[in-house]
Amino acid sequence: MDIQDIKDQPLHTLLANFFMCEKCRFVDRDTNRFAVGYKCHQCGTPSEGGRLYFPIGALSLIDLMQEFYHLNDSNAKNNSNQEKNNQLAVVIFFCSLTEVYLQNFLEELMATIGIPIKIQERLLADNLFVRTRVEKLFPTLTGMKWKKALRNLTAKVEVELDYEYTAKFYLRVSNARNKFLHAGNKGAIHKDMPKQCLEQIWPLSCLFASLHNEFIAQPLINHLKPEDINKND
C-alpha cells in the first residue's frame, strides 16, 4: 500500500511503532514486549509491560504530517494559498520530527554514558542546530563521524534503506523550509516534497532505532566517559 493512501489509521502506528527492553534497552518492533512476563529475545529478561521508544511528541508530529497532507484532498483543492500552507506544514513537521528524533537519541546516549543533566543541557545548547549536532556533538560522544555511522548502519540492514540518502533528504527539505520562511521563496517547496516527506518517515524512524541499538543498547566500547567531556572545564 502506498503511504499516501493511508487516511483512517494514525500513521505513527505503522511507521514508528518501536519498543524498547527496559533491561538491555534493545529497540525493535516486537509488540509482544507489552505482555508482562514476555522474555526479551536479546537478553532474556521478562517484560514489565513494555515501553514505546520514540517520544509522544514525535508520534504526534507524524500524525500531523498525515493530517495536513490529506487536507489537500478536500478543502484546499480550489485554494492555492491554502494548499501551499498545507504543503509547508508537512515540510515543517518533517523537519521537526528529525530534530526531535536526533535530540532524543543524543539525550539517551548522554544519559547512558553518564553525563550529568546540566552538562547535557549545555552541550545541546552549544550545538543548537542539526548540522552542528551531527558534525560536532555526535562524533564527540560516539568516537565516530556521522557519515561513517550512516554508511555502517546502511550496510547492516537487510531491507532496502539508504540512511545516507535520508540524512541528505532532511538537509534538502530543511533548506527549502528556510528559503520559504525566511526569504519568501514559494518555489523552494516543490509539489512532490510533502509526499516525499511522508515516504521518508519510515527510513528516518529505522535510522534512529538503528543508531540507538548501535550506540546505546550495545556495550559502549571506546566511547568517551563523563570525565572526558568535562576535562576542559
Side-chain angles (χ1 to χ4, degrees), residues 64-65 67-93 180 186 189 191 194:
L64 283 169
M65 288 176 64
E67 178 182 345
F68 274 81
Y69 181 83
H70 290 298
L71 284 177
N72 292 338
D73 297 340
S74 53
N75 61 346
K77 275 188 175 180
N78 299 316
N79 187 331
S80 59
N81 287 333
Q82 184 64 51
E83 182 176 7
K84 181 62 70 174
N85 289 341
N86 293 344
Q87 292 174 345
L88 175 60
V90 174
V91 167
I92 290 175
F93 292 143
F180 186 101
K186 295 183 179 181
I189 299 175
K191 189 174 182 179

Side-chain angles (χ1 to χ4, degrees), residues 142-161:
T142 66
M144 182 180 295
K145 290 186 177 180
W146 174 250
K147 291 183 179 180
K148 182 177 181 180
L150 298 187
R151 285 197 300 270
N152 290 348
L153 292 175
T154 298
K156 291 182 179 182
V157 294
E158 297 179 359
V159 294
E160 292 184 3
L161 293 173

